[in-house]
Amino acid sequence: MYLGIDVGGTHTDAVVLDAQKRIQAWAKVPTLHQDLLSSVTQALDSVLQSVAAQDIVRLNLSTTLSTNAIVESKTEDVGVLVSSGPGIDPENFRQGGFFFPLSGSIDHRGKVIAAMEQDELAAAVRRCCDSGIRVYAAVGKFSTRNPDHEETMAHEAMQCGDFVSMGHRLSGQLSFPRRVATAYYNSAVWRLYNSFADAVESSARAKGVTAPVHILKADGGTMPLAVSRRMPVESILSGPAASVMGIVALYDIREDAVILDIGGTTTDIALFASGSPVIENDGISVGSYPTLVRALRTLSIGVGGDSRLRIAAGAVRVGPDRSGPCVANGGTHVALMDAMNYLEVAAVGDVEASREAVRQLASLWDMYPEKLAREALDTAVNTICTAVDRLLDEVNAQPVYTIIELLDGVKLNPGRVFVMGGPAAAFAPLLRNVMNRRIDVPRDHAVANAVGAALTRTTAELELFADTEKGLVFVPTLGLRREAPLGYNLDDAVADAGRYLTESLAGMGIHIRPEDVDVLEAGSFNMVDMYGGKGRNIRVKCQVRPGISL
């Protein structure tokens, strides 16, 4: 049995599936944002009434914890130690109130140009320690070529720190500004995330679930809980990823398509190109800061079943906020679902309570109740359609990357829309009237995201660099450095990269076949230094592609 739990903005869903992808048990409970563990535990308790805990062989969880902590500014202060060298002003990428640009420089081939000043570094760390800072980010400009300065900064920070995010261990991709932001956010949510991970694991074990626990990543794959503990930033936007993987699990999509996951709080929008999910290849932005977190290309808007209705300048507004559940489900503020109940396009909870609430709101503004409800639905549908068009315009304005390949010069023109989430069945006919596209509502649409969570397989990526003149092979994210033998070439590097990736996963108990590893990039370039030295600079990037495990 495969157990998936998706912690959404309004509900936490749990699904248990067998090896034939048939649902054997499911649950939907309210998400308590002040106590996410309670929601996970309730959902777990519910499904375990129908399924034996010992029959579960994998538990996959998608969580909003890291995203919520960042959005709500509930993160921990981070000591940010950066070494950029000449040619860039690190102040342009300042993060937080404890940001320290330090001396020292490493060039693009990993050669130390200027050593770090130990007294300067010690003073920066001492100031952080005196201010109670216990988590750090250590980032050097070319640390993916030589991590010495990052390791020096990390060693000093751990004199009084509990955790350090080193930029080269988060991604092998070059981009100093993105690496600063990624390391900062990774440390900012580290303690909160690990407390949650401890509690989830303890709760599962206490209930007899001995299966390994995996966390959904933003790129549509999963990572073992142990890996997520040191890379919690990868769990950002795992909710929308679960939605996309739910559709992958339920349909064999071969064309361009739009995915709409309409929940109680938001609508998440994603795109497929030629049957494959579109991905944000360079990394998502958190607020205004681009990161190196590779993620599915999604857009979230504040339209959902519980979106609050307001009247402003004679017009009906829907969301973007949610003030608790709709009146039909015991809330105190009129929401979109109440309007849908009034117009009899839905029948959720106490329908008569919805009708009375809509009538009362309309009377305050001297409006007809039916007109208010109709305007609310029209506004919600038009807002969703406009957001879909905006996302399509953004994606079509640049090369399209999917989890499989780059589709350069391709323009998406989706003729099909998949709608999932609790209100999906009620929204489908409304969207069909406006979007002029085929609308499909999958079976089990209310818990499709938990289905996606349950069936998503583990994915990982790795970048290998080699400098034949220096005789060096370096895999940043594994912290692996070794000698490159004489005659080392691109074919050797491709073979090594695949082997290191499979071996690192095997060390976590995840066994994949070599043929499951895709080589995304492979290049070898002649290098000549100022002294006439010659060599080849080799770079290989490979991955285990996101997908469904059954």
Side-chain angles (χ1 to χ4, degrees):
M1 299 289 184
Y2 299 85
L3 171 59
I5 301 178
D6 176 70
V7 182
T10 304
H11 292 101
T12 293
D13 300 336
V15 167
V16 179
L17 300 105
D18 62 20
Q20 285 72 47
K21 297 197 292 188
R22 296 176 303 209
I23 293 180
Q24 299 298 314
W26 67 274
K28 184 180 286 286
V29 302
T31 296
L32 305 176
H33 289 275
Q34 302 307 314
D35 187 4
L36 293 182
L37 177 64
S38 173
S39 300
V40 172
T41 301
Q42 286 183 51
L44 191 57
D45 282 338
S46 182
V47 294
L48 289 180
Q49 292 178 16
S50 306
V51 175
Q54 62 269 24
D55 289 341
I56 295 171
V57 297
R58 186 176 65 225
L59 193 171
N60 287 352
L61 173 71
S62 77
T63 172
T64 60
L65 183 71
S66 297
T67 307
N68 289 349
I70 292 170
V71 170
E72 297 169 9
S73 299
K74 293 181 179 178
T75 56
E76 186 172 357
D77 286 336
V78 180
V80 184
L81 310 172
V82 298
S83 173
S84 63
I88 193 170
D89 184 359
E91 286 292 344
N92 292 333
F93 318 112
R94 171 175 285 273
Q95 292 276 2
F98 297 88
F99 186 88
F100 298 91
L102 302 172
S103 59
S105 177
I106 292 175
D107 72 10
H108 66 286
R109 293 190 68 180
K111 181 179 180 180
V112 176
I113 303 301
M116 299 204 74
E117 294 184 13
Q118 194 63 39
D119 290 346
E120 178 189 43
L121 171 60
V125 172
R126 186 164 55 250
R127 180 176 167 187
C128 290
C129 291
D130 292 345
S131 300
I133 302 298
R134 294 294 177 268
V135 292
Y136 292 83
V139 184
K141 184 178 179 182
F142 287 111
S143 60
T144 56
R145 300 296 186 267
N146 181 347
D148 283 354
H149 285 179
E150 282 190 357
E151 290 172 350
T152 298
M153 291 186 282
H155 177 76
E156 185 68 29
M158 285 303 291
Q159 302 303 310
C160 72
D162 298 326
F163 179 73
V164 181
S165 295
M166 289 187 286
H168 75 280
R169 299 302 298 270
L170 298 173
S171 172
Q173 183 176 329
L174 279 176
S175 178
F176 177 68
R178 287 179 180 268
R179 196 176 302 109
V180 172
T182 307
Y184 170 83
Y185 285 116
N186 195 62
S187 290
V189 301
W190 173 79
R191 195 181 311 277
L192 178 67
Y193 179 87
N194 272 268
S195 296
F196 177 71
D198 288 341
V200 167
E201 190 168 35
S202 297
S203 178
R205 302 300 178 243
K207 297 179 187 306
V209 178
T210 59
V213 181
H214 289 238
I215 302 296
L216 256 74
K217 301 193 297 176
D219 68 354
T222 69
M223 56 182 166
L225 189 67
V227 174
S228 74
R229 288 178 177 279
R230 63 177 183 270
M231 299 181 69
V233 71
E234 291 282 351
S235 69
I236 292 175
L237 297 184
S238 70
S243 304
V244 172
M245 301 316 293
I247 292 297
V248 172
L250 296 173
Y251 283 93
D252 181 18
I253 302 177
R254 299 179 182 272
E255 68 269 66
D256 296 350
V258 176
I259 310 301
L260 299 177
D261 183 3
I262 306 175
T265 305
T266 62
T267 293
D268 296 328
I269 307 168
L271 300 174
F272 278 61
S274 300
S276 182
V278 175
I279 200 162
E280 190 76 67
N281 193 57
D282 293 331
I284 57 171
S285 292
V286 178
S288 59
Y289 297 100
T291 73
L292 291 171
V293 179
R294 200 162 178 258
L296 299 176
R297 185 69 181 264
T298 61
L299 174 65
S300 294
I301 59 173
V303 174
D306 289 336
S307 293
R308 186 173 177 178
L309 303 188
R310 290 186 175 88
I311 313 297
V316 180
R317 310 293 186 193
V318 180
D321 60 315
R322 172 183 182 268
S323 300
C326 59
V327 172
N329 287 330
T332 57
H333 296 282
V334 185
L336 181 60
M337 186 56 68
D338 295 312
M340 298 176 79
N341 276 348
Y342 186 92
L343 294 174
E344 299 180 354
V345 298
V348 173
D350 188 341
V351 174
E352 187 51 44
S354 288
R355 294 180 63 83
E356 179 59 28
V358 171
R359 283 193 290 263
Q360 289 182 12
L361 180 61
S363 68
L364 292 175
W365 297 92
D366 197 24
M367 295 178 68
Y368 290 110
E370 184 167 347
K371 181 176 184 296
L372 186 153
R374 177 58 59 189
E375 282 193 22
L377 263 64
D378 289 346
T379 298
V381 170
N382 289 332
T383 300
I384 291 172
C385 293
T386 299
V388 169
D389 291 340
R390 184 168 80 247
L391 181 58
L392 281 169
D393 287 343
E394 291 173 0
V395 169
N396 282 331
Q398 53 194 315
V400 177
Y401 287 89
T402 73
I403 61 174
I404 298 176
E405 60 187 338
L406 164 64
L407 302 175
D408 200 1
V410 169
K411 299 297 181 185
L412 301 190
N413 184 25
R416 198 171 180 185
V417 179
F418 296 91
V419 189
M420 55 195 291
F427 263 96
L430 306 174
L431 292 165
R432 193 173 289 117
N433 293 335
V434 176
M435 296 193 78
N436 196 29
R437 293 180 170 104
R438 175 178 168 180
I439 307 293
D440 286 291
V441 179
R443 72 179 191 274
D444 307 313
H445 60 84
V447 291
N449 44 8
V451 171
L455 298 180
T456 297
R457 71 185 179 204
T458 300
T459 186
E461 63 179 39
L462 173 150
E463 291 180 79
L464 178 148
F465 302 94
D467 188 325
T468 61
E469 193 221 341
K470 291 185 172 184
L472 175 69
V473 174
F474 180 38
V475 182
T477 53
L478 299 182
L480 184 152
R481 300 173 79 183
R482 70 169 178 83
E483 223 175 80
L486 192 65
Y488 193 82
N489 58 34
L490 183 59
D491 289 339
D492 297 325
V494 169
D496 281 346
R499 177 169 57 85
Y500 287 138
L501 183 55
T502 55
E503 287 177 354
S504 67
L505 289 173
M508 306 172 201
I510 302 162
H511 300 283
I512 61 169
R513 302 169 301 173
E515 55 265 34
D516 290 332
V517 176
D518 294 332
V519 177
L520 300 180
E521 299 175 32
S524 179
F525 309 95
N526 289 322
M527 303 288 288
V528 180
D529 64 22
M530 65 179 67
Y531 305 107
K534 295 181 179 180
R536 296 192 70 79
N537 191 312
I538 300 171
R539 176 176 179 263
V540 176
K541 183 176 182 179
C542 60
Q543 72 164 1
V544 178
R545 185 189 307 162
I548 296 301
S549 58
L550 293 179

